[in-house]
Amino acid sequence: MENSSSGDESDHRFEDYTISADVSESESCGASSFDSPVASTSRSTPPLVGPHFTSYLPVLSPIKPPVAGGKHNGKGQNENVTEIQLMKDRFSKLLLGEDMTGRGNGVCTALAISNAITHLSATVFGDLWKLEPLSQQSKSIWRKEMEWLLSVSDSIVELTPSFQEFPDGGTFEVMVTRPRSDLYLNLPALRKLDMMLVTMLDGFHDSDFRYVDRGSVERHSNGSQSDSPLVQYEEKWWLPFPKVPSNGLSENTVRRLQQCRECSNQIFKAAASINSNVLSQMEVPNIYLETLPKSAKVCLGETLHRYITTAQFSPESLLDYLEMSSECTTLQIANRIEAAMHIWSRKCSKSHGTGKLPWKGNVKGLGGEKEKSKLLSARANTLLKNLKLQFPGLPRTRLDLDKIQSNKDVGQAILESYSRVIESLGFNLMARIDDLLYVDDATKKRAMEAAGVSASVRSTVRGSLWSSMVAPPALSPSPLTIREREKRRFSYSSTSNNGTMEEALERLTFN
């Protein structure tokens, strides 16, 4: 009975699970000898007690599956073995540092876990092109494999002093372990944000909108309509086109989309704050500092350097002045500002500050090189923060990428990659909602314009029918009758330049 019950529990736990798409380039480590604790506890073995334990030997044969209800229960065992094998495969690649040769050429453990979380997010969510729920298989893969990867953080602890009491009333101080403070504060928040995003996606079932292939929209669209949503949507040519009803979305759907967008914005801001905090705590790698030029002016350029070093420094005015028409240009400016900030920071740390060194800046009132470098570094930091606030979807700078690549702290790698994934999902979710609301707004405007045109046509037709019933036209209208009718029609459409219209009508009628 115990064996059958454990088999039933395994069926219930893994009935909706299948192997996810592997993001690595080799599957050779699937047969690794890594022994998981789950593997040692999931096998059901009969109790070997009593002197006649040899009678249980046929039951231990690996060929026979466990029997439940008179039938072979091989499905649960196969799924259990599949999950164990998948867990072995994932952790083997983490231990090998993504080096399938096993010769020690792999990356460090922190970068391996960071890459694994990034690849898992790309496998399950992709770039989030549509507002639709995740499949049960995708949600199962995301939850289970994320639990495996985050389980490493359970062993990252710190020692803190604690007092314990003796039975006789005395106390003594001991060191106890607890989760590291950054993981203890940020990891539960990231789990909550993750759950909110998945729940929000689940709410897009049975929606009023759908997505169609862009080619079918282009075939049915009129190229002469400049106000068509497709014309304004051409910048995102790789995305499927959201299709809404002819009269637009309902008010309840629009209200729910706006609420989801606001919630996604809050999730994005929270994840971005955690990610920025973790990146700021990482050490600046030497590989980045070695490539910096000696002068900040060389890095910034003549114009940008002059505006930062001037006495009337204003980050808002400077950002308005800079030409940032594309994402690539904006990222280059951010990289230059960040590099100049660290150049001035290094000068500030190396300068003794005992004497006045020659400096050609425009900042007045500060004599030492150390004070000037400190001030300019703070200005560059302020300008960089304002730039990132103005462009929230800006990709990672060169320094951020170097920090991620050179980081050795496993806890920081987990927090950085997990927050980066949630930040990206929140931003993409906001973008898809904005696209849908834009198409809905354009569709409603076109429907209102069409309704206005049809109403004016109906009123014109009714007026002509009523006039024909009262005074039927002559069988052979003269040119003068045609001219008077055209004059009345033009006078209704416009009250200006009547003389010019009459002259044009006379020329058209009598020529």
Side-chain angles (χ1 to χ4, degrees), residues 8 15 24 140 145 156 227 249 314 319 359 397 429 488:
D8 294 339
E15 60 184 357
S24 65
S140 178
E145 296 198 17
I156 302 177
D227 58 343
L249 300 174
S314 175
L319 290 179
W359 189 70
T397 60
L429 186 57
R488 286 196 302 268

Side-chain angles (χ1 to χ4, degrees), residues 96-99 101-107:
L96 291 173
E98 302 176 356
D99 178 25
T101 63
R103 297 176 180 176
N105 298 323
V107 299

Side-chain angles (χ1 to χ4, degrees), residues 45-244:
T45 57
L48 302 180
V49 294
H52 306 289
F53 77 94
T54 54
S55 61
Y56 293 97
L57 290 178
V59 183
L60 291 175
S61 174
I63 300 176
K64 279 191 175 183
V67 178
K71 297 181 181 180
H72 291 297
N73 190 15
K75 180 181 178 181
Q77 186 183 26
N78 291 335
E79 292 180 351
N80 194 6
V81 171
T82 299
E83 181 175 357
I84 295 171
Q85 190 69 23
L86 182 61
M87 184 184 294
K88 288 182 178 180
D89 180 52
R90 293 292 185 265
F91 280 95
S92 297
K93 291 172 182 176
L94 292 179
L95 293 174
L96 291 173
E98 302 176 356
D99 178 25
M100 300 300 106
T101 63
R103 297 176 180 176
N105 298 323
V107 299
C108 63
T109 306
L111 184 57
I113 293 179
S114 177
N115 291 339
I117 294 176
T118 305
H119 294 163
L120 179 60
S121 173
T123 302
V124 175
F125 296 98
D127 290 334
L128 202 64
W129 285 1
K130 299 180 180 180
L131 295 177
E132 60 183 7
L134 291 176
S135 62
Q136 292 296 330
Q137 176 184 357
S138 298
K139 285 193 292 186
S140 178
I141 292 173
W142 174 252
R143 290 170 181 168
K144 292 179 181 179
E145 296 198 17
M146 278 302 297
E147 286 298 325
W148 295 346
L149 295 173
L150 297 179
S151 63
V152 181
S153 62
D154 298 337
S155 302
I156 302 177
V157 295
E158 60 185 6
L159 296 175
T160 57
S162 177
F163 292 93
Q164 294 186 3
E165 296 184 358
F166 284 110
D168 57 357
T171 60
F172 65 100
E173 184 179 3
V174 295
M175 301 298 290
V176 296
T177 60
R178 69 172 186 180
R180 210 170 70 180
S181 58
D182 56 346
L183 294 171
Y184 180 77
L185 294 175
N186 295 321
L187 196 55
L190 292 175
R191 291 178 187 267
K192 182 66 175 179
L193 297 177
D194 181 5
M195 184 181 65
M196 292 172 63
L197 279 175
V198 176
T199 305
M200 199 180 307
L201 288 176
D202 290 339
F204 289 108
H205 65 281
D206 300 333
S207 302
D208 299 340
F209 57 89
R210 58 189 176 91
Y211 289 87
V212 296
D213 185 22
R214 182 172 296 273
S216 62
V217 178
E218 291 176 352
R219 288 192 297 269
H220 293 87
S221 62
N222 187 4
S224 62
Q225 296 177 348
S226 59
D227 58 343
S228 174
L230 183 62
V231 177
Q232 306 293 335
Y233 206 67
E234 278 300 320
E235 296 180 357
K236 304 176 181 179
W237 54 267
W238 62 91
L239 295 175
F241 190 82
K243 191 73 173 179
V244 299

Side-chain angles (χ1 to χ4, degrees), residues 217-396:
V217 178
E218 291 176 352
R219 288 192 297 269
H220 293 87
S221 62
N222 187 4
S224 62
Q225 296 177 348
S226 59
D227 58 343
S228 174
L230 183 62
V231 177
Q232 306 293 335
Y233 206 67
E234 278 300 320
E235 296 180 357
K236 304 176 181 179
W237 54 267
W238 62 91
L239 295 175
F241 190 82
K243 191 73 173 179
V244 299
S246 58
N247 56 348
L249 300 174
S250 62
E251 294 183 1
N252 293 332
T253 303
V254 173
R255 190 180 304 109
R256 186 168 62 89
L257 286 173
Q258 292 174 350
Q259 293 175 356
C260 290
R261 192 200 182 282
E262 182 62 27
C263 184
S264 302
N265 188 24
Q266 298 300 324
I267 292 174
F268 167 76
K269 290 181 178 179
S273 177
I274 294 175
N275 186 268
S276 176
N277 187 26
V278 173
L279 285 173
S280 64
Q281 293 177 0
M282 292 183 182
E283 296 182 358
V284 180
N286 293 327
I287 189 175
Y288 177 80
L289 297 176
E290 292 172 355
T291 57
L292 293 178
K294 295 182 179 180
S295 174
K297 187 175 182 179
V298 176
C299 182
L300 291 173
E302 180 71 27
T303 304
L304 189 56
H305 182 269
R306 184 174 66 252
Y307 274 94
I308 292 179
T309 57
T310 186
Q312 294 80 19
F313 172 73
S314 175
E316 294 81 7
S317 302
L318 182 56
L319 290 179
D320 294 338
Y321 171 78
L322 295 176
E323 177 64 27
M324 292 179 288
S325 57
S326 64
E327 183 181 89
C328 182
T329 304
T330 307
L331 185 59
Q332 289 180 357
I333 294 175
N335 287 327
R336 292 182 178 183
I337 296 174
E338 196 169 39
M341 179 183 67
H342 285 280
I343 291 174
W344 283 319
S345 298
R346 293 181 68 186
K347 287 184 178 181
C348 179
S349 60
K350 291 181 179 180
S351 177
H352 299 287
T354 56
K356 296 183 179 181
L357 299 179
W359 189 70
K360 299 180 181 180
N362 297 327
V363 179
K364 306 297 183 182
L366 293 176
E369 179 75 13
K370 182 176 181 179
E371 288 78 5
K372 293 177 181 178
S373 299
K374 185 177 181 180
L375 174 63
L376 295 178
S377 177
R379 286 184 175 184
N381 188 20
T382 303
L383 183 61
L384 183 62
K385 288 182 179 179
N386 291 352
L387 180 63
K388 290 183 177 180
L389 288 176
Q390 187 172 347
F391 299 93
L394 193 67
R396 296 294 181 271

Side-chain angles (χ1 to χ4, degrees), residues 421-433:
V421 164
I422 295 178
E423 178 186 355
S424 176
L425 291 176
F427 183 81
N428 289 335
L429 186 57
M430 280 195 301
R432 300 294 84 78
I433 294 176

